[in-house]
Amino acid sequence: AYQKFPKQRNLVWLIWMFLIINPFFFSFFIFYGNNEILVSASILAGLYFLQKEKLILAGFILGLGGLFKFIPLFLVPFLFFGHRKLRWSFAITCGLTVLVGYAISWLLWQEEVWQPFAFGVNREAKFLSVFHYLESDFSLFKMWWGRFK
């Protein structure tokens, strides 16, 4: 697509440069700790490289995204089965990236690495959370599960 429209390539680079030097990106990411943009970018980049059959790079990028939040890791089992073949190098690279990332974190911070997990398990669900819905009386899962008790 870039060969047919060379000016479009310059426009894409201009947009990327604007985003990189944009102060809002740094303020939301660094000061407020809002890292959803990095997770979204890792998912998009991982899907792009998976489509290009660069399986190891796709697994590495999705693994890095999984170190920020778990959402990319939920995609891995679905992306593992693709085009009538198993993508072993993709899944192994993603798993090793997460494993090495947590091992390095554990070496640096010891037991404090698990505090966010404990906080997430023990807190109450927010109003717009999926867990709030699953705990409510209107949950289809709860109604279905109640039939078997």
Side-chain angles (χ1 to χ4, degrees):
Y2 288 133
Q3 294 171 354
K4 293 180 183 176
F5 304 105
K7 291 183 180 180
Q8 186 180 20
R9 185 176 196 173
N10 293 335
L11 180 64
V12 170
W13 279 107
L14 183 65
I15 291 171
W16 274 109
M17 290 307 296
F18 174 74
L19 289 175
I20 289 172
I21 62 173
N22 192 341
F24 292 113
F25 172 77
F26 290 107
S27 65
F28 277 106
F29 176 65
I30 294 173
F31 296 124
Y32 297 117
N34 190 353
N35 58 4
E36 276 83 6
I37 194 164
L38 290 176
V39 175
S40 301
S42 74
I43 291 172
L44 289 175
L47 291 175
Y48 173 77
F49 288 120
L50 199 62
Q51 182 184 15
K52 296 292 184 185
E53 293 295 324
K54 297 184 178 180
L55 303 178
I56 294 175
L57 186 58
F60 179 72
I61 290 174
L62 278 175
L64 286 178
L67 291 172
F68 285 106
K69 290 197 179 233
F70 292 126
I71 295 168
L73 299 181
F74 290 127
L75 295 174
V76 171
F78 298 105
L79 299 174
F80 174 65
F81 303 102
H83 299 292
R84 298 183 188 132
K85 62 180 178 179
L86 302 179
R87 298 173 173 162
W88 285 104
S89 60
F90 164 74
I92 290 171
T93 305
C94 185
L96 284 176
T97 302
V98 172
L99 195 67
V100 168
Y102 276 119
I104 292 171
S105 299
W106 189 80
L107 288 173
L108 291 174
W109 296 292
Q110 304 290 310
E111 297 296 324
E112 294 177 12
V113 170
W114 309 118
Q115 284 181 352
F117 295 105
F119 173 74
V121 168
N122 294 328
R123 72 178 180 164
E124 288 191 29
K126 304 279 184 181
F127 179 69
L128 295 176
S129 172
V130 170
F131 299 111
H132 180 74
Y133 167 73
L134 291 175
E135 293 172 351
S136 73
D137 293 332
F138 302 106
S139 169
L140 294 175
F141 180 73
K142 193 173 184 180
M143 290 179 204
W144 178 78
W145 188 257
R147 293 185 343 186
F148 297 108
K149 286 187 176 182

